[in-house]
Amino acid sequence: MTPLAQVLAARIRAHGPMSLADYMAECLLHPVHGYYTTQNPFGTAGDFITAPEISQMFGELLGLCLAQAWVDQGAPDPFTLAELGPGRGTLMADILRATKCVPGFHAAMRVVLVEASPRLRAVQAQALQAFAPVWVGSLQDLPPHPLFVIANEFFDALPIRQFQRAGLGWRERLVGLTGDVLAFGLGPVVPIAGLKDRLDDTGEGQIIELCPAAPAVMAEMSARMAQKGAALVIDYGGWQSLGDTFQAVQGHHAVDPFANPGQADLTAHVDFAALAQAARPLAHAYTTQGALLSALGIAQRSERLAQNLSGAALDSHLVATQRLTSHDEMGSLFKVLALHPAHHPAPPGSV
Ligand code: SAH
């Protein structure tokens, strides 16, 4: 049993089963035993690899996309350039390198990083020291300026609750104990107001996921983008939640999410329809990672970088390009929600 499993088992014995959202929150961000507070998740030696860690092209192209949106909106000064969940800081470092050539962009920007993990804040500080970033724990603390923001694999880490259809109501899937072992159980049948419109398209026993923290995040974002701003939200998921997508990954393999709490990454697919709805009155465009990167010119950028490479470095560059864009790899599984005020055009490439 991990130390966190002991903490959670004691809590369940004292107070009864907990929601999956509470379980995820403890596993990911417990101040002493949490996954993001203690582990080194990224890269081949870690548990998973994210798009910016695969190739510099990801951050370069998305950074220039945000910069073009900033230019299209009259180059507001000052503005906030923010990232939600910056990991090792690689994506922001690539964005900042690529946008150096955009006149006025760096002079007008204030770089703000939304990061909960003190350990990862220290890693980000190293990667981005030349740009004097400021850290905040939540979007509430973002400055009031126009907001240009990116979030890659952030929303999949936000805790979800799961509900199983039972007649005209729902039973919440709760984390309890079978003997001494953490296991799923079911709560009583209750009506859930937020799931009323899902009675038509679900059958008995089907599971729907809700991310309780997401609407507040989107509302804060939307408030700062009311006049000017743009957001690129990239993640795996679909347009509407249906089915159990809760998963644990450790050492690049799927593992039992209850086996080693605090030592595996826990995620769920992102419900982009729920994000778009919570961001109203912002307008949105919805596309795939592959389509957006292609529209932004990844083929040309890849060719240009390839000119200076040979041998194994060239091979891995070509594999990385494929991995980011191919239909069979990240290209279709990963979606992009681009948000913008309705009176400004959508960020380039997103429609
Ligand atoms: N965007 C990065 C890392 C994704 S991993 C990349 O593409 O490589 C998820 C990131 O979100 C980590 O930095 C994690 O510490 C952070 N995070 C997770 N939950 C958070 C929360 N509730 N508030 C702020 N940051 C959070």
Side-chain angles (χ1 to χ4, degrees):
M1 242 194 192
T2 64
L4 185 57
Q6 289 172 17
V7 171
L8 296 176
R11 181 168 146 189
I12 292 167
R13 274 188 212 101
H15 303 290
M18 63 176 81
S19 73
L20 184 55
D22 285 347
Y23 177 74
M24 275 182 86
E26 294 290 353
C27 289
L28 293 178
L29 292 173
H30 186 283
V32 182
H33 305 299
Y35 178 73
Y36 283 114
T37 27
T38 61
Q39 308 283 314
N40 178 20
F42 308 101
T44 32
D47 295 311
F48 56 87
I49 298 189
T50 58
E53 306 290 343
I54 290 173
S55 168
Q56 66 186 70
M57 295 183 292
F58 183 79
E60 290 172 347
L61 293 168
L62 296 181
L64 289 170
C65 175
L66 281 182
Q68 186 62 52
W70 175 78
V71 170
D72 290 344
Q73 297 185 19
D77 178 3
F79 75 97
T80 305
L81 177 65
E83 182 176 356
L84 315 185
R88 291 210 288 211
T90 309
L91 173 56
M92 186 52 89
D94 290 338
I95 289 174
L96 292 169
R97 194 183 56 258
T99 53
K100 232 186 281 174
C101 60
V102 179
F105 191 75
H106 279 207
M109 76 186 179
R110 308 288 181 269
V111 178
V112 183
L113 306 173
V114 180
E115 174 59 65
S117 157
R119 207 183 55 79
L120 287 174
R121 283 187 185 197
V123 177
Q124 294 153 17
Q126 283 269 314
L128 301 168
Q129 52 187 329
F131 299 95
V134 169
W135 283 266
V136 295
S138 84
L139 278 84
Q140 276 171 324
D141 300 322
L142 285 178
H145 310 130
L147 174 64
F148 292 77
V149 57
I150 192 159
N152 184 57
E153 294 210 39
F154 170 76
F155 284 93
D156 65 61
L158 294 187
I160 52 145
R161 293 171 72 181
Q162 287 189 332
F163 296 93
Q164 192 170 52
R165 177 82 187 268
L168 292 179
W170 303 87
R171 300 182 74 179
E172 182 158 11
R173 296 188 85 201
L174 298 170
V175 181
L177 288 170
T178 303
D180 281 339
V181 180
L182 293 165
F184 266 127
L186 285 173
V189 182
V190 285
I192 304 282
L195 292 179
K196 228 167 155 186
D197 61 343
R198 300 305 305 272
L199 290 174
D200 294 337
D201 70 336
T202 52
E204 189 69 15
Q206 276 192 311
I207 290 171
I208 299 280
E209 297 172 339
L210 293 181
C211 179
V217 170
M218 299 314 288
E220 294 289 345
M221 224 190 241
S222 166
R224 284 162 186 78
M225 290 169 52
Q227 296 310 316
K228 290 173 191 247
L232 295 174
V233 175
I234 309 107
D235 227 309
Y236 41 91
W239 188 246
Q240 206 171 36
S241 162
L242 184 60
D244 171 17
T245 71
F246 177 53
Q247 63 167 3
V249 167
Q250 196 171 3
H252 302 272
H253 296 289
V255 296
D256 174 356
F258 298 129
N260 298 307
Q263 293 174 8
D265 185 37
L266 301 181
T267 62
H269 281 202
V270 172
D271 177 345
F272 286 96
L275 299 189
Q277 183 169 359
R280 280 182 193 164
L282 293 181
H284 69 264
Y286 179 65
T287 185
T288 63
Q289 174 173 307
L292 178 63
L293 292 177
S294 297
L296 293 172
I298 193 169
Q300 291 82 348
R301 180 63 181 140
S302 177
E303 223 168 86
R304 178 73 191 80
L305 289 171
Q307 284 168 9
N308 298 329
L309 299 171
S310 60
L314 176 60
D315 290 345
S316 75
H317 168 65
L318 296 176
V319 167
T321 309
Q322 270 297 105
R323 203 163 162 198
L324 290 181
T325 54
S326 155
H327 176 68
D328 307 329
E329 300 191 62
M330 297 175 83
S332 297
L333 174 65
F334 279 72
K335 311 296 194 303
V336 182
L337 183 69
L339 295 158
H340 59 101
H343 54 277
H344 287 297
S350 63
V351 281

